[in-house]
């Protein structure tokens, strides 16, 4: 079993829909949770960074962490075609610990 | 602020040949990472430098891969000899120092070097 599981998709939704992307993990020591966005033929870029449990909102994006269920989510409201990309979750046990990555979910927003 | 620079962007070689990739991190970022990303997978850490010292190279295939970071700035990743399974994107990333001087986990990636081994 992988430490971090993420559905590879693709997930295809119409423009304007609310998107939910998820990762599950097995290591209860993880405290730092990140979502990276990767456009085709580009490097990943940090989208959201959260520490421990709870929600964090930034514009149309909301990151949610449920440590009791070992489950993290990224919600995108009012999705746009420009949101089409692969979304990677990553997590670590501490700021000096190695990041553990999910495989990424490919998201397609249809105009 | 300039981002992480990588070159070359694309490289095609025959198996058993050698290849080298170069990375220039963001100024002031002491931590530098090399990742391998195979199509459809998340990045896999190959090596992590803190300044010019190696922090983690546990997943680096040392019989064929080598990396160095001279003077704690630029870095080079070399593969010799290449195998078919080395076909991947090689991503360089850097991270600013955290409160304790170590990396924060917030990585800034370059655009990657895409390697095809025939």
């Amino acid at each position: 079993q992988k430490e971090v599981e993420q559905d590879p998709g693709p997930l295809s939704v119409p423009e304007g829909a609310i998107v939910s992307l998820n990762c599950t993990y097995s290591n209860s020591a993880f405290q730092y949770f990140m979502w990276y966005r990767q456009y085709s033929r580009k490097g990943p870029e940090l989208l959201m960074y959260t520490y421990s449990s709870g929600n964090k909102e930034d514009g149309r994006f909301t990151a949610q962490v449920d440590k009791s269920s070992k489950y993290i989510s990224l919600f995108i409201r009012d999705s746009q075609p420009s949101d089409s990309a692969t979304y990677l979750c990553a997590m670590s046990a501490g700021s000096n610990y190695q990041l553990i990555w999910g495989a990424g979910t490919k998201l397609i927003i249809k105009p | 602020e300039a981002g992480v620079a990588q070159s070359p962007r694309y490289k095609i070689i025959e198996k058993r040949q050698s290849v080298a990739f170069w990375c220039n991190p963001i100024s002031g970022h002491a931590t530098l990472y090399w990742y391998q990303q195979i199509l459809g997978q998340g990045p896999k850490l190959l090596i992590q430098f803190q300044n010019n010292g190696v922090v983690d190279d546990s997943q680096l295939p040392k019989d064929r891969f080598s990396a160095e970071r001279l003077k704690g700035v630029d870095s080079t990743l070399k593969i010799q000899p290449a195998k078919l399974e080395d076909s991947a994107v090689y991503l360089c990333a850097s991270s600013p120092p955290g409160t304790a001087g170590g990396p924060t986990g917030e990585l800034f990636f370059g655009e990657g070097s895409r390697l095809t081994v025939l």
Side-chain angles (χ1 to χ4, degrees), chain A residues 34 36 38 41-44 46 49 95-96 98-99 101-103, chain B residues 9 35 37 42 56 59 102-107 109-111 114:
Chain A
M34 283 141 271
Y36 282 80
Q38 186 173 25
R41 299 186 180 273
K42 299 288 187 181
L46 182 64
Y49 184 108
S95 61
N96 288 324
Q98 186 183 138
L99 275 182
W101 294 82
Chain B
R9 287 294 315 279
Y35 281 91
Q37 187 175 28
D56 185 350
Q59 297 188 91
T104 62
E106 300 177 60
L107 272 58
F109 284 87
E111 293 198 319
R114 183 177 297 270

Side-chain angles (χ1 to χ4, degrees), chain B residues 46-116:
Chain B
L46 293 175
I47 190 166
Q48 176 184 339
F49 292 96
Q50 181 75 14
N51 296 305
N52 59 349
V54 175
V55 174
D56 185 350
D57 65 355
S58 57
Q59 297 188 91
L60 186 74
K62 298 180 184 65
D63 57 334
R64 299 184 300 105
F65 286 65
S66 64
E68 61 181 7
R69 189 182 184 195
L70 299 175
K71 300 180 181 178
V73 182
D74 293 10
S75 178
T76 302
L77 175 72
K78 296 179 182 177
I79 308 174
Q80 181 179 15
K83 291 186 175 182
L84 297 176
E85 60 260 36
D86 298 332
S87 294
V89 176
Y90 291 85
L91 294 163
C92 179
S94 66
S95 181
T99 54
T104 62
E106 300 177 60
L107 272 58
F108 295 80
F109 284 87
E111 293 198 319
S113 294
R114 183 177 297 270
L115 174 65
T116 301

Side-chain angles (χ1 to χ4, degrees), chain A residues 18-34:
Chain A
I18 296 175
V19 174
S20 173
L21 303 166
N22 311 294
C23 287
T24 58
Y25 62 94
S26 57
N27 188 346
S28 58
F30 288 149
Q31 298 187 78
Y32 294 84
F33 303 92
M34 283 141 271

